[in-house]
Amino acid sequence: MQLLEVLRSNRLRWTVLVTGIFAAFTVALLGFVYLRTKHDLTLRSDRTIASQIGILVALPPGRRLDAINEGLRYDPGRVRIIGLFGAHGDRIAGNMQRQPANIEIDGTARNVVVDRTDRFGVGQQAVRLIAQTLPDGNVLLVGRDAAEIEEIARVVGGALALGLFPAVFLCIAVGVTLSARARKRLVEVNKRVQRIVDGNLRERLPLGNSDDPFSQLATIVNGMLDEMETLIESLGGVGRDIAHDLRTPLTRARLMLERGRSNAITLEQLQAVADKTTEALDQSLSIITAILRLAEIEINQRSAGFGHVALADIIREVGDMYEPIAEDRGISLVIQSPDELDVHGDRDLLIEAIANLVDNAVKFTPAGGRVEIGLVRSRDETIVRVKDTGAGISKHEHDAVLRRFYRSDRTRHMPGLGLGLNLVAAIVKLHGFRFTIHPGAGCIVEIACSHAPILMTEHKPSTSPS
């Protein structure tokens, strides 16, 4: 069954077509080689005959007869044919019985059939012959066996043709092998893809041992499947987290409305219930707005607004924004920006990311603590660093805090949605930057731009404590 499918495959059909073209080309090449070989052998034979007849013509009549007889005596292969005839066609010497009829005596080589006579008897022989009239009126004919040329050309052509069949067979065998191998891989890929379609998101395409295009494609597809699995699992978790986080404020709003409807008597009591209900609904709307914001960033809808952004200006702007809040909480807010550095990105998104980091630092730093916002220039990166003296993030929570709606047990009593760092991570990913949370006392988070910074001007370090 598999053999029939291989024989019906398009790959094998293409292989047979290419093999046919190759065979036709080879046959044409063999024909050219055969004809060229025959032509060259004929020219060589003609030159030999012309040389021999030239030597005989130059000899005196008596010496010419001796040369003819001597040449025929040393011809065991019966290749030479020589005939000396009188003006009336009578045979004088040589191994040619009679002068060929209608032979043109013009010194041009041509193919003729002559009557050969020697110690083996009389018989016809196809020869390549030149006829020339001598000064004394006699006719001299000198030739060579034409079968010699045909035999050599036939041997060369046969040897070339013999190599055609193994070449064609090899092409077909290679085509069948490659077709069977490709079909085997495709069958395996189809099975795994079908398992993925059926819901097994952990299935992956097989990888070969070589760097062929199929293995490279499988590597890319497997990477895409990894990303899809992560996104789908994240989507499922987001649905559960949204339901969980929205249930609390919505339940609170419903209970307040029920109690207000049952217990409120005065207008002031109804207004208080309405205010608390509005606060719970605002919290729900904030969750929905944050989720939509994340979705907008993650699908790269904001990449069109990229341009050169002055990070030092952003840091000072965020610092001015949170300086009053830090002062109210008794926290020292310090801005350190020794260099004016530009990066390529979206200014509004970068402000949002840095503001989220500073907001977390101010929120989780106790009174009397310190929050630092710094801009650092390294060899190949521009680093925005936010450092505080709060409790910090434990090492085993570094990945968890980047998930949506994650809130540790010691921060659940504090206001917030658990989306701040997830939003920062999404913005950083959109820009192709690197986000790092460092372990140790307090909390140190960094946004490192992998692009080469553009150095503008340098000025003295500025420090603005609140």
Side-chain angles (χ1 to χ4, degrees):
M1 186 63 180
Q2 292 184 354
L3 179 59
L4 291 177
E5 293 180 357
V6 170
L7 294 177
R8 294 174 182 173
S9 65
N10 288 331
R11 182 183 292 270
L12 183 60
R13 293 174 183 173
W14 277 104
T15 301
V16 172
L17 177 61
V18 172
T19 303
I21 296 175
F22 170 76
F25 174 78
T26 305
V27 169
L29 179 63
L30 295 180
F32 172 78
V33 172
Y34 173 80
L35 294 176
R36 186 67 185 179
T37 302
K38 184 176 179 181
H39 179 263
D40 289 346
L41 290 175
T42 301
L43 289 179
R44 181 175 297 181
S45 177
D46 291 348
R47 286 195 296 268
T48 301
I49 296 173
S51 175
Q52 291 176 351
I53 200 170
I55 293 173
L56 293 177
V57 169
L59 294 176
R63 182 73 183 88
R64 183 182 301 129
L65 293 176
D66 295 336
I68 292 174
N69 294 328
E70 188 72 16
L72 293 177
R73 185 179 299 113
Y74 295 100
D75 182 29
R78 304 179 72 205
V79 174
R80 297 178 182 177
I81 189 78
I82 302 176
L84 180 62
F85 296 92
H88 300 289
D90 51 315
R91 177 173 175 269
I92 299 174
N95 59 352
M96 193 179 302
Q97 180 70 22
R98 62 181 64 85
Q99 185 176 333
N102 301 323
I103 184 72
E104 294 185 12
I105 307 173
D106 55 2
T108 302
R110 53 178 48 85
N111 292 321
V112 295
V113 177
V114 300
D115 293 327
R116 180 188 182 97
T117 179
D118 53 19
R119 58 190 178 88
F120 295 100
V122 179
Q124 290 187 333
Q125 184 178 9
V127 297
R128 186 79 174 167
L129 187 70
I130 295 178
Q132 184 172 338
T133 303
L134 299 177
D136 57 4
N138 294 334
V139 177
L140 178 64
L141 296 93
V142 178
R144 293 182 66 87
D145 188 6
E148 178 187 32
I149 299 175
E150 292 289 342
E151 182 64 23
I152 295 175
R154 189 162 45 250
V155 170
V156 174
L160 294 175
L162 189 62
L164 173 66
F165 296 102
V168 172
F169 176 76
L170 180 62
C171 289
I172 295 177
V174 170
V176 172
T177 302
L178 293 177
S179 179
R181 182 182 177 186
R183 184 186 176 280
K184 181 179 179 181
R185 298 185 70 175
L186 288 176
V187 168
E188 179 64 22
V189 168
N190 290 337
K191 290 181 180 178
R192 299 200 180 194
V193 170
Q194 187 59 49
R195 287 197 288 267
I196 295 172
V197 172
D198 293 338
N200 184 5
L201 298 180
R202 298 186 180 276
E203 189 65 72
R204 295 295 180 267
L205 300 186
L207 296 177
N209 296 326
S210 59
D211 292 332
D212 62 320
F214 191 89
S215 297
Q216 294 175 2
L217 176 62
T219 301
I220 295 174
V221 172
N222 287 342
M224 180 184 67
L225 292 173
D226 291 338
E227 188 69 19
M228 289 176 59
E229 181 182 4
T230 302
L231 292 175
I232 292 174
E233 290 179 354
S234 175
L235 182 61
V238 167
R240 293 189 298 270
D241 293 337
I242 291 175
H244 180 271
D245 280 71
L246 286 179
R247 181 176 61 183
T248 300
L250 291 177
T251 301
R252 187 184 306 118
R254 185 178 185 279
L255 291 174
M256 289 177 184
L257 289 174
E258 286 183 351
R259 291 174 182 174
R261 182 175 180 274
S262 302
N263 301 329
I265 300 175
T266 65
L267 179 60
E268 290 77 8
Q269 291 176 337
L270 287 175
Q271 288 177 341
V273 170
D275 291 340
K276 292 181 179 180
T277 303
T278 302
E279 182 181 347
L281 293 176
D282 286 343
Q283 184 180 359
S284 300
L285 289 174
S286 298
I287 295 175
I288 295 173
T289 302
I291 293 172
L292 293 176
R293 181 77 168 143
L294 281 168
E296 177 188 4
I297 294 171
E298 288 176 347
I299 62 176
N300 293 349
Q301 289 184 351
R302 292 295 299 266
S303 59
F306 278 26
H308 288 291
V309 179
L311 286 179
D313 292 343
I314 292 180
I315 287 178
R316 286 190 286 269
E317 185 176 336
V318 173
D320 293 340
M321 185 189 312
Y322 279 91
E323 186 175 3
I325 301 174
E327 185 176 354
D328 290 341
R329 295 176 58 89
I331 299 171
S332 174
L333 180 63
V334 180
I335 302 173
Q336 296 179 339
S337 177
D339 300 321
E340 296 289 339
L341 300 173
D342 282 8
V343 295
H344 185 70
D346 188 299
R347 189 176 190 278
D348 294 337
L349 291 179
L350 291 176
I351 289 178
E352 189 170 355
I354 297 173
N356 270 282
L357 296 179
V358 176
D359 183 80
N360 280 347
V362 172
K363 183 188 302 182
F364 296 110
T365 299
R370 177 185 176 93
V371 174
E372 297 178 5
I373 312 173
L375 182 60
V376 182
R377 181 183 65 193
S378 67
R379 183 177 62 180
D380 56 355
E381 289 182 328
T382 300
I383 300 175
V384 178
R385 178 180 297 145
V386 178
K387 180 179 180 181
D388 63 62
T389 57
I393 302 173
S394 60
K395 188 173 182 179
H396 71 274
E397 286 185 310
H398 283 184
D399 293 331
V401 294
L402 299 181
R403 297 201 302 264
R404 295 181 182 181
F405 303 110
Y406 177 82
R407 304 185 71 187
S408 62
D409 295 335
R410 56 190 175 86
T411 61
R412 286 190 177 276
H413 64 283
M414 305 181 69
L417 304 176
L419 291 172
L421 291 181
N422 185 258
L423 181 63
V424 173
I427 295 173
V428 169
K429 182 179 180 181
L430 174 65
H431 284 76
F433 296 168
R434 178 170 53 85
F435 182 53
T436 307
I437 302 174
H438 293 280
C443 182
I444 303 176
V445 292
E446 291 180 348
I447 298 177
C449 174
S450 58
H451 303 288
I454 301 177
L455 181 60
M456 303 296 289
T457 60
E458 292 191 2
H459 61 282
K460 296 175 65 177
S462 61
T463 303
S464 56
S466 58

